[in-house]
Amino acid sequence: MSLVESPVANGTSVKRLRTVCYEKNWVNSQGVFLGERPLLYSLPLLLSEVIVMFLLSNATHHVLGHLGQPRVVSQIVTGILLGRSVMGRSTKFRRTLFPARGTFLLDIISFFSLMLFLFTIGVKTDLNLIKKPGKRALIIGIAGFVLPFVLSTAFIAALQPHFPPDLGNGTLLFDLSSRLSLASFPVIADALGELRLLNSELGRIVMSGALVTDIISWVLGAASTTYRLAMQSRSPAWPVATVAALALFLLFVIFVARPATKWVAKRTPPGELLDEGPFVWLLLAALASGLLTDMMGYRALLGPFILGLALPGGMPVGATMTERVDSSFLALFLPSFMVLAGFRTDFSELNSLKASGMLELVVILCYVGKLMGSVAASLYLKMPLRDAITVGLMSNIKGIIEISLINDWGDRELLTVEHYSILTVSVMCITAVNMPLIRLLYNPSVRYVSRKRRTIQHAKPNHELRLLACIHNQDQVAGVLDLLESSHATQDSPISLTVLHVSELVGQAASVLRPHKRSHRSSAHPSTSDHIVNAFRYFEQQQSSPGAVSVHPFVAISPYATMYNDVCSLALDRKVNVILLPFHKQSDGASETANHAFRSLNRSVLDFAPCSVAILVDHSLPAGTTCARTNCLLQRVAVYFLGGPDDREALAYASRMAANDSIYLAVIRIVLSANNTPSEPDEEAMQDERMIEEFRDRHGDAERVTYMEKAVEDGEGTAAVVRDMSNKYDLLIVGRRKGLESSPLTSGLSEWSECPELGIIGDMLAVAHFERKVSIMVVQQQQLDRVAGEGGGDGGGSVAGARKRQGGRMMANILNPNNKQPEEVKDVLIHRQP
């Protein structure tokens, strides 16, 4: 029985809709509905089917999700459970819940959702990835296509006489080999988004290579279809008209649709979505383009994808598609497309073991060949074996594009139900195997493990200070510039500043991490990144000592949930000593706003950073002022020193600030009273003592530097000292004291902690109300347990070994006035020039 003869597989081709409706007596010969009753009668059936599929699909994913399976696998499994192979074996069940009329209508709507899905993917695709895909992505993409295609086609050509007639005749097997040898960009983008690997190093390589091969495949597919139409046409005028129609469509997209959409986008206020009118016209244009390409003889999916690629992504077009289409219509009906794919499978039709085995062998050859090709290319590029296998698995992910092509073959009666079932299950099994293996093999954060100490405390003398400042918006620029001004950058002690403007991935399919380039817009309309970078460039140019500050701007666009990958990988590549993060709460002097996405990013960076981290709580002046080179009016800075690695890092940074002639620095050491001091100091306490002694020896004669000790009984005494003394200063520098929360100096204070990422003291200072504007900088030294190494990383040894290796040279580089390391971030009250 052919696929189209199955009562549950009416097909989704636009060409066949009118024919099927006529066969079902729902329309007359002119395609007009025979009254309103048939359509109205189908709507309750449609609703009931959607509800059943939605509930069962979520229940299935709840079970399979614990096994690392993606939603696409759960959806196909749901369809199989509802189909003729399991529950659908009951005729009464099929007729009650899934009658042909309701399923047919759902099939049409789900196909329209697929068209809109490809349209939105096209809109969100950055074609700049094609211009410069990178050597690694290009080599891996080509090798991952050529090897499986050669293997499978050679196998098919050699054994074609032995294939059953329904497989051996025609080009079906060669088409299957071509599709499975390619990497599908929309499928991989969706899968990596679910795995949270969009902005990982390997994720970017695979997606760039997949986009190149995918675009090439669409072009070659269109050319192949044109050739097929020409061979099948009895009139030479028909293929000429087809090509001319496609050319006119492309010209309309490029010279009418794209400029018009750009014009509408420019008229949309910054940060706003498209109005309802333009949005509806875009949806209608996407569906109409599918109808046009189908009428020309091409696939209906080609038109929406081409139109989407031509339109500008990001804000506001891409963001509008994400907000109004992805999260509503597609979220409801696109899963139905995959459920229906599983629903059409019928394992009772598997009659020929030979045919099934040979078809499955083609699928296996394509899978293994693509895996081997990608792995071989990755190893040639000197990737580790673990990463090479991960690249091969990522490139082999299959999904909705492959399923749609299998459906199309079924519509054209190139497949039987038996073949359809085998291919659908094969696609599901490939993804079901690959996704858990990728999760098992690849952990991007392992790359950030470093055996090298990248801190201020352990930096070599006369080494430049390397600082990475993350900026979300223009309001955060002032605090960083003021900090740089107070950090005493000179030719002998320079600062290398890497500025990373981070933005949420909205309306784009692929994440971005690249050096900043000025946008092509006119100078009268610079982008937000341009504004931010211009401020730092101006600060760099205004330095009295040439070369004292060097600025290296970057841009990162990715989901906030995984943005720490961009921050940490850039810090590792730039050999940064300190990552500077803005606090997630901002105040304009009258009200305070909190961004929990910023907070999540800060927490993740603190956990995975390959260097020290500082969070800047800028209370100096209301945000929104213009920042140029600031006059260093910061007068009084205090460091609270309770002991531990984080406090030592904070003191090392303060030592660098002490070289600034305009700063008065106070080191306030809080110690336990004599009655509560342990008789035998541990190693940490001894390092604290050596650090303090070095500081006093270095700066004991400086009039602008003072040192004092405050003895307390417990955490309550510490809080009293902090409350009483903090009003005297403009900036407070404290250590996060990670792992020392139970210390007697802070006992009982953690019960009121609102922001654990600031530590106990930092959190207490951030929420306190002082008479003057007091900024806070919380410092966390590079974590020793990550320096020691983790499984699969490039670190090695134990924590104790790391301590021993560092112990001999720990104090030699502390507080050296020629130390050229980036200071820990701190907040400064400095005049901002309007």
Side-chain angles (χ1 to χ4, degrees), residues 120-152:
T120 58
I121 285 292
V123 170
K124 294 186 287 187
T125 299
D126 185 5
L127 291 181
N128 289 325
L129 294 175
I130 300 178
K131 297 178 182 178
K132 295 182 179 180
K135 176 183 176 182
R136 292 190 297 177
L138 201 58
I139 291 176
I140 291 172
I142 294 175
F145 167 72
V146 172
L147 184 58
F149 184 72
V150 170
L151 285 178
S152 56

Side-chain angles (χ1 to χ4, degrees), residues 582-594:
F583 190 47
H584 72 278
K585 294 181 180 180
Q586 287 184 268
S587 174
D588 59 3
S591 61
E592 186 177 64
T593 59

